[in-house]
Amino acid sequence: MTATFQTRPPVHPASQWTFPAQQRFSLRNGMTVLGYHLPGKQLIAAELVVDVPMSAEPAGFDGVAQIVARTLDEGTEVRSAEDFAADLERYGASYGANAGYASITTALDVPLSRLTPALGLMAEAVSRPAFPEQEVSRAVKERLDGIPQQLATPAFRASQELRAACFDASSRYARPEHGAADAVERIDRNAVESFYRQHFDPALATLVLVGDLAGDELVDASTAAFGSWEATAPHRIEPEFPVESFGPKTIVVDVPGSVQTQLAIGLPSVDRRDPDWAALSVAAYALGGGLPARLNALLREEKGYTYGVYSRFRPSRRGGQFSISGSVHTEVTAAAVSDLLDVVLRYRAEGMTPAERTAAVDYLVGVTPLQYQSARSVADKGGDLVSNDLPADYVDQLRASMSAVTPESATAAFASRVDPARFVLVAVGDATTIAGPLGDLGLGPVEILPAH
Amino acid sequence: MVGRSMGSRSMELVEHRLDNGLRVVLAEDHSAPAVAVNIWYGVGSRHERDGRTGLAHLFEHLMFEGSANVASGEHFEFLEAAGARLNGTTSFDRTNYFETVPTGAFELALWLEADRMGGLLDALTQENLDNQRDVVKNERRQRYDNVPYGTAWERLFAMAFPESHPYHHMPIGSMSDLDSASLEDCRAFFRANYAPGNAVLSIVGDVAAEYALSAVKRYFDGIPAGPVVPPAPDGTIGVLDAEVRQDVHEDVPSESLYYLFRLPADGTDELEAVDLAVRVLGEGSSGRLVRRLVRREQLARMVAFGVNRMIGGASAATLIVRARKGAALADIERVIDEELALFAADGPDAEEVDRARAQAERAWLEDIETFEDRADGFARFATLFGDPRLALTAIDRVNAVTAEQVHAAAVERLTRSNRAVLAYRLDADSSSDGTDSEARA
């Protein structure tokens, strides 16, 4: 009994799609509100972006921004930390806050029926935090305890070491995002409160509100929650350009007995405001964006070295990196890196093929509408654009620009930005096995770091 | 309460069963120019036999390597070129394959799924098997063997379920069993499990139901009905008679505790009640264990308590605690036992139950928001319980649970004896009453 099959059907052209329209207004206290009306979306997503780049942290106090973010809701002028958590959770809401290199954000997801009280709590945390001494102290200790966990995770460690090697230590972006231990240990309530007072102000804040809310409802909800946040004198910090440092250099983080080597290979690069951004995105995708791309076709499917190796440009608010990352079986580390570099060199030399360009552009343009079905995904993107000084129509602009990319323009942009001779190679794994063979590849001097 | 947010309730589902046994669920939603296509096959790691663990998951990989009319690599190529995102997952109970495609690629998705459901064996070669075996071995290394606590779940389930039980081993399987899998094993596996009668095809999105159903028939009617799928092994099992313990001495970043409590299978009232008990005890910032261990006594940096819903005769509640530096695991265990005893004595209060229900409602709204999650939910309830509409009423079953039922379920299941406890210790000299295991090789 065999099956009978049809012939492969054609794919019909996609219909026109644009990123949801934005409704923009300001509250009297200077706070900006961006509303995205998604009819039928009963789960509301709110994202508050405070324009505080991490370079605003005082010298020696790396990590204070994260402690501030982390303790906004741990006790306010109106209620204790435990009561805040209980009240918020009773509304079926989920809340989180994070300090990133670009900005500090707080996020709230809540059913529409409970938006008013939940948004009020979010506003209370952001505008009236009490920073109780014992909560700050606990947050500091939890951060200190969390550092070894991060460093013991190979992918995290490799990525952190790559950033450290690609930028001068004087740049905040080179250093651990939430602070290394020696800096975090210094953080106390005074440091937290001082940072908050200097940098939190409605004039520096943007609220992104997404869901089945529009017009008056949007204005009313945001005014009711945030309207009484008092403006002070805003102290806006200009985001910094990190100071770049290129290879060739090889760094091995020694974790004896590792069954795999985690790789992070790359160099300093651009942010999304660069005119070549669309071309570079297309180029990176064809090289290593998915399973059909050049890197996985060879290293995963043909040679079985890895579960997956991917290449991406990783933009920051100013500048960024290009990196290739993945993990390979320890025994084949040097062979995999050698093959990987060959792929990149060939790609630069030969260029992208028209078929590759079509496949990459068709994917990147085609998949975009699928990524914004939920209110949360739209809120995340809205917040991302604000944090990184990108225009409201960025998503639509990028799709249009990518559609105009040619194999030649993608190849030229890639070749001008990515030169493997200037790569930094980070490998987290068993140094006894891998350091020698990696050194033989000739990617600059080899430095071996201990795991701890 | 719940009634207000119910635009979603009015979703119409169309159900159909093809002559070859394939069950089809369809729901229209034109709010985005996309369609989610999702197939659940009723085979997971619980169906694997001894010596062949990991086969269901390995097979999932092989399903992407081509079929009768699809060359190796084309599955991903065709779909990505159409602007789709796609993947597959294997769990204890089932394997699923899903792609979300722009509307215009709907039939391409159906064609690809039909071609591999009916014609995979044409393209299944030793070379594909060898390649994907290497990929899976690297997946195992990456996710289990090369990260701190990577083998925690593997150890925990092996402790909590007897060696012959379907849930004793993880879907990833063992390296040696993967090495032993032959091409004939794979062929036999496909014939036995990848029959239309063992599958549910779920479609949600920008397609008219009538058209979509006719398209499904056009692509899938030509696949012959396969053999009747044998019933799954019976994993019905009660509580553990006595606590099972194991210590692991590894160079981990924080000492940690992992607990597994045996629970009733999914689809039972008792499991809904335990789920609420677990939320009250360990969810968010307000759960009782979080309050004591993280906030007040500062013995832990993180507490995570959740329910893994399974249908093969049992489910599992898992509790992870990461100790703060300097905190003793014995102190953490004492606090956990005190709180469990208190809960067993008095049960939850009304406010706690309300809070747990509110959180469950938000989670349920999240589960039905996107096309892909909704399609997955319909496939899940159709495959495991025979009725896709149960996805839309899941929150009603949560709200029907009383505080008394939550209390009773905890008394029965969240006990000191009904659990496996895995402890990661740094100090080689300290240990609990369990056997020590070897350090990571």
Side-chain angles (χ1 to χ4, degrees), chain A residues 4 6 8 12 74 82 89 92-93 138 141 145 259-260 285 301 304-305 327 362-363 370 373 375 452, chain B residues 65 78 80-81 100 104 111 132 138 142 146 222 251 285-286 295-296 324-325 359 362 369 371-372:
Chain A
T4 55
Q6 306 297 316
R8 182 167 131 218
H12 303 296
E74 297 287 2
E82 285 194 10
E89 288 173 10
R138 177 169 69 86
K141 291 188 190 123
D145 269 17
V259 296
Q260 285 194 318
Y285 196 79
E301 297 294 303
Y305 287 162
S327 55
D362 284 354
Y363 173 74
L370 278 47
Q373 290 177 59
H452 299 300
Chain B
E65 295 305 301
F78 290 162
E80 285 202 357
T100 304
W111 179 77
Q132 290 309 307
N138 276 306
Q142 182 174 312
N146 211 50
D251 185 18
S285 279
S286 308
R295 288 186 171 285
R296 294 181 182 171
R324 281 273 300 271
K325 193 168 155 188
Q359 291 291 313
R362 192 200 69 258
E369 188 169 12
F371 294 172
E372 42 271 285

Side-chain angles (χ1 to χ4, degrees), chain A residues 257-280:
Chain A
S258 296
V259 296
Q260 285 194 318
T261 301
Q262 177 76 44
L263 300 169
I265 302 173
L267 73 186
S269 194
V270 302
D271 60 63
R272 286 176 282 177
R273 300 165 314 147
D274 190 288
D276 277 344
W277 178 254
L280 292 171

Side-chain angles (χ1 to χ4, degrees), chain B residues 17-39:
Chain B
R17 190 177 170 282
L18 301 189
D19 288 344
N20 57 21
L22 177 67
R23 287 157 290 165
V24 186
V25 182
L26 298 151
E28 288 188 38
D29 187 330
H30 302 282
S31 61
V35 186
V37 176
N38 189 309
I39 295 193

